[in-house]
Amino acid sequence: MDIQDVQTWLVQLTNEMSEVLHKLPGSAIVLRYVKSSYQDDPIRSGIELFLLLFALRYLLAPSYSTQKTNNVKLTEQEIDELVEEWTPEPLVAPQTAIEEAENEKRPVISGPTAPKCKLANGRTVTNLASYNYYNFLSNEALKEKAIQTLRTYGVGPCGPPGFYGTQDVHMKTEADIASHLGVPAAIVYAQAFSTISSVIPAFSKRGDIIIVDSGVNFSIKKGVQISRSTVKWFQHNDLEDLERVLKKVLKEQEGKPLTRRFIVTEGLFEDIGDMVDLPGIVELKYRYKFRLILDETWSYGVLGRQGQGITAQQNVDPNSVDMIVGSLAGPLCAGGGFCAGTAEVVEHQRISALAYTYSAALPAMLATTASETITLLQTTNGECITQCRENVKAMWAQLDPRSEWVWCSSAPENPMMLLVLKPEVVSSKKLSLEDQDVLLQDAVDECLANGVLVSKRKGMPRSVAAKDFGFDMQPALKLCVTIGLTKKEIERAGVTIRHAVTKVIKSRKSLG
């Protein structure tokens, strides 16, 4: 059979199939649709043919059961044996010897927290272990206002802010914070710790870049970890190292898709006590086009003439900081936290910040207390702040540089004073971090025996707080100065602390 015969056969076969198709009911309509469809859009005809063939293949494919499993079937006896052998992991790690000793000696306050507080054993001590810097806890007007709010609104809103938890007092508190800072808007969270750890992942996602100071607190490190962003660290409070990291990031990102980039730091560092160089960081932020997230948990309500924070203290426009995060639970003696910035920054968090969206709103009583304490800082023109700084100076005069053994790493304006052993003491006595921790705990006990209640700084170990960078914090005594004590009482407490440290270190000659 030659080619001409094949062509003739194909034409004949096509004609026969066409005659058979035309005999079918409705075939003319189908043929007319196919011809017009192919003429107007041949690609569409091809897609429809593919879908038709796929549907036929799916309908004609053999069925199979989705209930089949390959799990090993165990007898009742085998199950019982496995259950008996299983040992659950403890929810909390066992206490170390130091922690056990601390818990045995831990003092318990009976009654309200005050500059002079009563312990469960009946003793009255000078309290330097509370963040009650301005003695707001003893303010009768604040107590009365809180009671009135409690009777009006109840204990808590019992719902997230985005559902039915937002009340008029929350909106007033947000407006008061924004006005106090001098920014367009603010948002209030129910818990201070979760504020910064929720704000960071609300804006920074996988693939974005975060440049972080190595000395930041644990809540910032958790927020950075949750964000799953690319994290770069720079040496604590070192602007030269920060600029080096910024340049390195820009060089690495050349030719790559644009990502969001942030610098994260603190105003007053919780674990060290010193102050950030905000003007320098803002200048670098603008030069290298980064956004700035500033944690003012410990500087809001403390720095500035009326407690506006580090921006007022260092004469920086607050609007040059993209996100200002702070606490209402420390110096303001209320509860919760906030984030302030532009209206767009605030509104984004109302649907994207986990701690705001999925947590019950701040109790109305605490929101009202925060508003009232902010008003007190403004109406008194910062008199309590000035008085607190005078007491801080009095405490400094008794400890640094008069002490031979410790020095204060905190900024002079910081009422939370952190006392660490001097480098020459650590090197001469060859003290490890554990040795220093034991010595300072003995100093805490000695202070308490002499009527002064102080504490140690609590921090997470490096292995937990920052796996890829950071440094182990040196153990430190923590003193919280308050205006509830007179200057003479502050000086007397400072002398007691200095003598307690001296006595403990001299009695531990075996460490030398």
Side-chain angles (χ1 to χ4, degrees), residues 74-289:
L74 300 176
T75 64
E76 291 295 330
Q77 182 179 358
E78 290 173 330
I79 294 175
D80 292 338
E81 291 176 354
L82 289 174
V83 171
E84 290 178 0
E85 294 174 0
W86 179 69
T87 303
E89 293 266 344
L91 295 177
V92 180
Q95 293 184 348
T96 64
I98 296 177
E99 291 173 338
E100 290 181 356
E102 289 180 5
N103 289 332
E104 289 178 359
K105 301 176 182 179
R106 194 182 305 277
V108 178
I109 296 177
S110 177
T113 301
K116 294 282 188 177
C117 61
K118 187 176 182 180
L119 302 182
N121 59 13
R123 292 184 58 201
T124 299
V125 296
T126 299
N127 184 7
L128 297 179
S130 168
Y131 300 124
N132 186 24
Y133 302 149
Y134 309 125
N135 200 23
F136 284 151
L137 294 180
S138 301
N139 189 304
E140 294 300 327
L142 288 176
K143 291 181 182 179
E144 185 59 33
K145 187 69 175 180
I147 292 172
Q148 292 176 4
T149 306
L150 180 63
R151 290 172 176 168
T152 302
Y153 294 89
V155 176
C158 302
F163 190 28
Y164 55 85
T166 299
Q167 299 169 312
D168 55 350
V169 291
H170 298 117
M171 300 171 69
K172 181 181 184 303
T173 302
E174 290 176 350
D176 291 341
I177 294 170
S179 174
H180 190 212
L181 287 171
V183 295
I187 181 174
V188 170
Y189 287 74
Q191 187 191 36
F193 179 90
S194 62
T195 301
I196 185 66
S197 59
S198 184
V199 169
I200 293 174
F203 292 94
S204 185
K205 309 294 183 180
R206 186 188 297 274
D208 297 331
I209 300 173
I210 305 178
I211 314 298
V212 192
D213 189 297
S214 62
V216 295
N217 58 52
F218 181 58
S219 57
I220 291 179
K221 293 174 181 177
K222 292 306 294 183
V224 168
Q225 179 186 16
I226 294 170
S227 72
R228 298 180 296 177
S229 303
T230 301
V231 183
K232 306 288 184 180
W233 302 85
F234 67 95
Q235 297 296 331
H236 172 61
N237 245 352
D238 189 338
L239 294 186
E240 291 184 0
D241 191 55
L242 171 59
E243 186 170 15
R244 177 191 63 81
V245 175
L246 295 176
K247 290 179 178 178
K248 182 179 179 182
V249 168
L250 291 182
K251 186 175 181 180
E252 292 174 349
Q253 292 299 306
E254 288 180 359
K256 295 183 179 180
L258 186 63
T259 60
R260 287 167 291 197
R261 298 173 293 192
F262 301 88
I263 300 173
V264 181
T265 188
E266 290 185 75
L268 283 176
F269 288 85
E270 177 183 352
D271 292 328
I272 303 170
D274 56 349
M275 190 184 306
V276 70
D277 182 1
L278 188 58
I281 289 186
V282 169
E283 193 272 331
L284 292 176
K285 166 209 158 179
Y286 282 121
R287 185 191 306 173
Y288 295 98
K289 296 179 175 60

Side-chain angles (χ1 to χ4, degrees), residues 219-442:
S219 57
I220 291 179
K221 293 174 181 177
K222 292 306 294 183
V224 168
Q225 179 186 16
I226 294 170
S227 72
R228 298 180 296 177
S229 303
T230 301
V231 183
K232 306 288 184 180
W233 302 85
F234 67 95
Q235 297 296 331
H236 172 61
N237 245 352
D238 189 338
L239 294 186
E240 291 184 0
D241 191 55
L242 171 59
E243 186 170 15
R244 177 191 63 81
V245 175
L246 295 176
K247 290 179 178 178
K248 182 179 179 182
V249 168
L250 291 182
K251 186 175 181 180
E252 292 174 349
Q253 292 299 306
E254 288 180 359
K256 295 183 179 180
L258 186 63
T259 60
R260 287 167 291 197
R261 298 173 293 192
F262 301 88
I263 300 173
V264 181
T265 188
E266 290 185 75
L268 283 176
F269 288 85
E270 177 183 352
D271 292 328
I272 303 170
D274 56 349
M275 190 184 306
V276 70
D277 182 1
L278 188 58
I281 289 186
V282 169
E283 193 272 331
L284 292 176
K285 166 209 158 179
Y286 282 121
R287 185 191 306 173
Y288 295 98
K289 296 179 175 60
F290 275 68
R291 295 181 177 93
L292 175 59
I293 301 177
L294 178 64
D295 185 3
E296 291 217 60
T297 296
W298 300 104
S299 53
Y300 180 69
V302 171
L303 301 179
R305 192 181 66 176
Q306 296 181 349
Q308 298 97 326
I310 190 73
T311 54
Q313 179 73 23
Q314 298 185 350
N315 297 316
V316 175
D317 181 6
N319 294 287
S320 63
V321 180
D322 298 277
M323 280 152 272
I324 299 177
V325 181
S327 170
L328 304 175
L332 300 186
C333 295
F338 69 87
C339 179
T342 63
E344 293 79 10
V345 164
V346 167
E347 292 306 315
H348 175 75
Q349 295 175 64
R350 297 195 190 278
I351 58 174
S352 300
L354 299 181
Y356 183 87
T357 307
Y358 299 106
S359 297
L362 181 70
M365 177 179 62
L366 297 179
T368 300
T369 302
S371 291
E372 292 296 318
T373 51
I374 291 173
T375 302
L376 283 175
L377 292 177
Q378 292 175 300
T379 55
T380 60
N381 201 25
E383 291 180 3
C384 54
I385 297 178
T386 302
Q387 184 180 350
C388 185
R389 289 179 182 172
E390 291 298 324
N391 283 358
V392 171
K393 289 180 182 179
M395 181 64 78
W396 267 77
Q398 299 301 321
L399 296 172
D400 190 354
R402 296 186 66 175
S403 174
E404 301 177 18
W405 314 103
V406 294
W407 69 283
C408 184
S409 63
S410 300
E413 299 86 355
N414 193 352
M416 182 173 66
M417 301 176 61
L418 298 177
L419 302 179
V420 297
L421 293 174
K422 292 182 177 181
E424 56 268 26
V425 175
V426 174
S427 59
S428 64
K429 294 184 174 294
K430 300 179 181 179
L431 299 175
S432 64
L433 292 178
E434 184 176 344
D435 293 334
Q436 297 175 52
D437 202 30
V438 172
L439 276 175
L440 295 181
Q441 181 58 46
D442 291 342

